[in-house]
Amino acid sequence: MADGFLLRGARLIDPAAERDEQVTVLIRDGVVAAVDPTGAADIGGAIGGAETIDCDGLVLAPGFVDLHTHLREPGGEDRETVASGTRAAALGGYTAVSAMANTEPVADNAAVIQEVLALAADAGFCDVYPVGAITKGLAGESLTEMGEMASNGVRIFSDDGHCVSNARLMRMAMEYSRAFDVVLAQHAQEPALTEDWQMHEGPTSWLLGLAGAPSEAEEMIVSRDLMLARLTGARIHMCHLSSKGSVEMVRGAKSRGIRVTAEVTPHHLTFTDGDLVDYDTNFKVNPPLRSEADREALIEGLADGTIDAVATDHAPHAAQDKEKEFDQAPPGMIGLETALAAVLALVHEGRLTMPRAVEALSTVPARILGTAEHGGPVQAGAVANLTVFDPNADWVAEPPFASLSANSAFIGRALKGRVVHTFYRGVPTVFGGKAVR
Ligand SMILES: [Zn+2]
C-alpha cells in the first residue's frame, strides 16, 4: 500500500488563502504534508512511497461542506441512511455534511445526536454535524435543551421542514442561542399563508390550477427574523432562500451589521416554476421553484456574497411517494451528487467565478459550521479533506444514485463538471470517479 498520495499538477483553488495556482500536493498520515507551487518532481525528497496521481486539467479544492442534508436516519431508512447519504456526499465531493433534525425520532436531544454521530463514524465517508431541533418534536411549542446538544458538538439548530412561526418563541430561541454561540437556521415560511400549497404562486400556478405559496410567505419570516436578530444579537442563518425579495432583505441586513448568513440550493439556481408544466413531482420542492426573476436574483446574490453558501437541501423520498398525484407527493429532491455540476454551470456561463464557487461550496459553509478542519486553507499540517474535480467533464445524471432515492430533477440533464477524487482525512472515499466502498 502506498505511503500517501502525490497530487501532481492540479489547479489549487483555496479561497481561505486567496490562492489560485498550479500546485503539487503531498497527502500523508491524514494531513496535507506539503504544497509545492513549482510542481517540482520531488517535494524536498519527501515523496518516497507516495502514489502519484496526475491532476493535469483538474481542480483541487478544500472538500465541500453541505449545511443542509436530510440523511433520514433514524426513522426513514427506506429513503436514506447515514451510510448511503454520506456515500452520496463523498461522490459529490463533500467531506462534511450538516444533517437536519427532522428524523424519527427528532434530533431534539443528545441521545439522537450521539446516535447520528456514531452511525457517521461507522460509515466513514465524511464528517457529519448533526443539527439540533429548536423546538421539542419540531412542534413549535417549547424549546429544546440547546445547551445539552451544544455540549455534544451541535453548532446549528433548526426546525427545518417546519418554520418556527411563533415570534415570541423564536425570540426566546435567539436569546438562548447566544449563551452557546450557536447558529439558528430558519426555514422561512409563514404557515398561515402556505396551507396546502403545491408550487410558487403566480401566473404558472394559475395556469396549472395548483395552489400557490406566495414569495411573501417566505419574505415576511425573513423580515421578521432579521428584526429579531437585530433585537437579540443572535446569529441566524436563512435556509434555502428562494425569492428576490428575500435576497434584497438579507443584503440590506448585512449592510446594517445584522449577524445573518444565507444559503441557496442548486435547484433554485437552475430551475423555475415554468419547469412544473409537466407536473413532474421531482420539481416539487419546499420552498417552491419560483420565477426567472427570482432565479436571477439568487444567482446575483450568490455571486456578490449576499448569499453565503450553496446548500443542497438533499431530501430523499421513496419512488412510490414521488409517483403519487402532484398534490399528494412530498416536496424535496436529492442533490448531493449533482450540486457541483449545477454550480459549475454558472461558472461556465460566466455568472460566477471558480474561486467564488469553491468558497460557497466549502470555505464559507465550513466557517458557518465553525469547523477549522474543512474549507481550507490547504497548507502543510491541515487535515486532508480535499476534493479533486474535472470542471469540464460531460455527463448525464441517471439513476441509480449512491443515494437510496432517485428523486432528482437533474435526471436526464446534460451536466458539465464532476468529482474525480475525494479525500476524507487523507483517505480516498472516491477515487477515479467511483466510491471506494
Ligand atoms: Zn427547509
Side-chain angles (χ1 to χ4, degrees), residues 365-385:
R367 298 302 166 260
I368 293 169
L369 256 183
T371 170
E373 294 191 334
H374 298 271
V378 180
Q379 60 191 19
V383 177
N385 291 318

Side-chain angles (χ1 to χ4, degrees), residues 75-356:
E77 292 85 351
D78 58 324
R79 291 168 284 162
E80 199 76 285
T81 64
V82 171
S84 66
T86 53
R87 187 164 175 266
L91 280 161
Y94 290 89
T95 52
V97 300
S98 183
M100 278 300 170
N102 63 338
T103 49
E104 300 163 35
V106 172
D108 61 2
N109 62 79
V112 177
I113 300 296
Q114 286 166 358
E115 180 185 353
V116 172
L117 286 171
L119 288 164
D122 279 351
F125 285 110
C126 69
D127 283 341
V128 174
Y129 294 84
V131 172
I134 295 172
T135 71
K136 288 178 184 161
L138 308 178
E141 288 164 7
S142 59
L143 297 182
T144 56
E145 294 291 340
M146 255 184 234
E148 184 189 274
M149 288 186 274
S151 66
N152 279 273
V154 175
R155 302 282 311 156
I156 297 178
F157 289 83
S158 181
D159 274 9
D160 182 65
H162 301 268
C163 178
V164 181
S165 62
N166 182 305
R168 181 173 159 275
L169 197 66
M170 193 61 179
R171 177 188 179 173
M172 284 169 55
M174 287 193 195
E175 286 170 347
Y176 198 29
S177 74
R178 293 202 61 190
F180 311 107
D181 193 28
V182 293
V183 181
L184 297 185
Q186 175 69 290
H187 177 126
Q189 189 170 56
E190 168 54 49
L193 284 178
T194 46
E195 279 180 39
D196 301 324
W197 69 275
Q198 301 300 323
M199 65 176 293
H200 171 60
E201 182 173 318
T204 311
S205 70
W206 306 331
L207 187 75
L208 300 182
L210 293 171
S215 295
E216 285 77 3
E218 172 175 304
E219 291 161 6
M220 65 180 61
I221 297 293
V222 170
S223 168
R224 184 204 74 181
D225 283 0
L226 292 171
M227 291 180 199
L228 291 175
R230 185 179 64 195
L231 180 67
T232 60
R235 281 180 65 194
I236 58 165
H237 177 75
M238 291 297 165
C239 295
H240 42 52
L241 286 192
S242 68
S243 93
K244 183 173 190 233
S246 298
V247 178
E248 287 166 356
M249 282 189 280
V250 169
R251 185 177 287 126
K254 284 187 164 186
S255 74
R256 295 194 301 277
I258 292 171
R259 300 170 80 200
V260 58
T261 53
E263 68 187 35
V264 62
T265 73
H267 46 270
H268 287 100
L269 292 169
T270 308
F271 305 112
T272 67
D273 59 350
D275 289 304
L276 275 78
V277 291
D278 297 326
Y279 298 91
D280 179 345
T281 58
N282 281 336
F283 290 92
K284 182 177 178 181
V285 290
N286 183 9
L289 302 168
R290 299 197 191 272
S291 70
E292 181 62 19
D294 292 304
R295 188 180 81 95
E296 279 293 317
L298 294 169
I299 294 169
E300 280 169 28
L302 180 63
D304 73 15
T306 300
I307 298 175
D308 300 82
V310 172
T312 65
D313 194 6
H314 177 84
H317 287 291
Q320 68 265 25
D321 291 328
K322 274 293 190 181
E323 282 161 9
K324 290 176 180 167
E325 289 298 310
F326 198 90
D327 62 345
Q328 299 298 312
M333 75 168 84
I334 59 170
L336 289 166
E337 295 168 69
T338 49
L340 172 65
V343 173
L344 288 179
L346 301 175
V347 175
H348 293 307
E349 288 167 17
R351 303 294 308 271
L352 208 61
T353 66
M354 188 70 91
R356 176 64 194 132

